[in-house]
Amino acid sequence: MNGAPHAGVPDAFEITVTRKAHVAADATRVVVLQDFILSLPKSGFVALIGPSGCGKTTLLRIAAGLDQSFVGKVRNPEALRLGVVFQEPRLLPWRNVAENIALARPAAMPDNTADLADRLGFTSVLSRYPSELSLGLARRVSLARALAIDPGLLLLDEPFVSLDGASADRLREVLAQTVGQSGATVLMVTHDVVEAIGLADTLIVLSERPARILARIALPAPRGRRTIEDTEAILAEVRKAQATAG
Ligand SMILES: Nc1ncnc2c1ncn2[C@@H]1O[C@H](COP(=O)(O)OP(=O)(O)OP(=O)(O)O)[C@@H](O)[C@H]1O
């Protein structure tokens, strides 16, 4: 198995996939993950990068409990509450924005919709329906819905893809602040290695399918204080790991 956990850091969540295959349209089986272990620390921001089709979304769906047709197990010993943000916002079209967020939140939790809407910049559309929102707004609502439950583990599948630069930057900032304050663990899939370096404290580099962990890179210095030299050194490490995979 690959992907041994960090020595000395207690794991809060662990995904073990002995084998996961999808059945393609022509009925052939595509092995996406095999002998794969990913351990996540408590309170870490882990970014996952890897080639298209290597199995990142499949892994997140398994972690979220949305795909159970695999051989392996997901350990969540601390019963972390999971928040999930998909590539598509997936809001309920027959509920307005405020209702979409409220529905996600357990009844016992305080209503934090107004605060999230304020921080993520969508207060003016709380009573609108998803079909009336731009993609950027729908993405903000989708992120707010995941944050509304105060997740212990936040699973993000390219949450900022195809947003304009300013919107993506704003959402990244809110995300980093929110998870920094809450002490949640984040597992974020992204194609954007510079985004990953800007947000994460651990970068995991995956191989082609079936995905193997090529490198688990602890990023130096707190985010926000990384220099251009830091970024270049990390990029070189990523390229080296990818080169070893041939
Ligand atoms: N439901 C499915 N049925 C059949 N094949 C699937 C299914 N879901 C994914 N696949 C295939 O499994 C492989 C891994 O898909 P997955 O979406 O996990 O990759 P990914 O790394 O997230 O890709 P991308 O970066 O392009 O989003 C791909 O070859 C994909 O075509």
Side-chain angles (χ1 to χ4, degrees), residues 4-228:
H6 266 333
V9 179
D11 295 321
F13 197 88
E14 188 175 76
I15 309 150
T16 303
V17 184
T18 307
R19 185 177 164 88
K20 167 67 195 176
H22 285 298
V23 181
D26 63 0
T28 55
R29 293 181 81 74
V30 178
V31 178
V32 180
L33 296 163
Q34 187 158 306
D35 296 336
F36 185 96
I37 298 182
L38 179 61
S39 299
L40 300 175
K42 201 167 166 65
S43 293
F45 197 128
V46 178
L48 207 54
I49 60 168
S52 188
C54 77
K56 302 180 293 299
T57 296
T58 303
L59 184 67
L60 280 200
R61 286 179 53 79
I62 288 173
L66 297 170
D67 186 337
Q68 304 203 333
S69 62
F70 68 101
V71 182
K73 62 176 185 283
V74 176
R75 278 185 58 244
N76 183 6
E78 302 191 19
L80 300 177
R81 246 194 317 269
L82 304 192
V84 187
V85 180
F86 299 101
Q87 287 179 27
E88 302 306 322
R90 297 197 191 177
L91 302 171
L92 298 177
W94 59 90
R95 298 282 186 168
N96 71 24
V97 165
E99 289 165 347
N100 262 280
I101 296 169
L103 274 174
R105 191 175 41 239
M109 287 185 67
D111 184 349
N112 52 2
T113 304
D115 175 52
L116 285 165
D118 182 43
R119 278 191 287 148
L120 287 159
F122 62 84
T123 304
S124 62
V125 300
L126 278 169
S127 58
R128 293 220 195 130
Y129 284 81
S131 62
E132 301 173 283
L133 305 179
S134 65
L135 176 63
L137 276 169
R139 282 265 168 77
R140 290 181 213 191
V141 176
S142 170
L143 182 56
R145 182 178 56 179
L147 293 172
I149 64 165
D150 190 18
L153 173 59
L154 187 58
L155 302 167
L156 305 173
D157 196 353
E158 301 199 55
F160 311 120
V161 75
S162 72
L163 290 184
D164 67 86
S167 300
D169 282 347
R170 178 172 185 174
L171 289 195
R172 288 185 191 113
E173 199 47 47
V174 173
L175 173 67
Q177 276 174 7
T178 307
V179 298
Q181 286 161 6
S182 74
T185 300
V186 180
L187 178 61
M188 180 182 77
V189 164
T190 178
H191 276 108
D192 183 343
V193 65
V194 175
E195 170 179 85
I197 293 170
L199 281 171
D201 42 55
T202 303
L203 182 58
I204 293 186
V205 184
L206 299 180
S207 69
E208 298 279 353
R209 189 180 67 230
R212 283 180 299 119
I213 296 179
L214 297 174
R216 182 170 183 136
I217 303 170
L219 303 186
R223 61 171 288 281
R225 280 203 273 136
R226 284 181 195 131
T227 61
I228 292 171

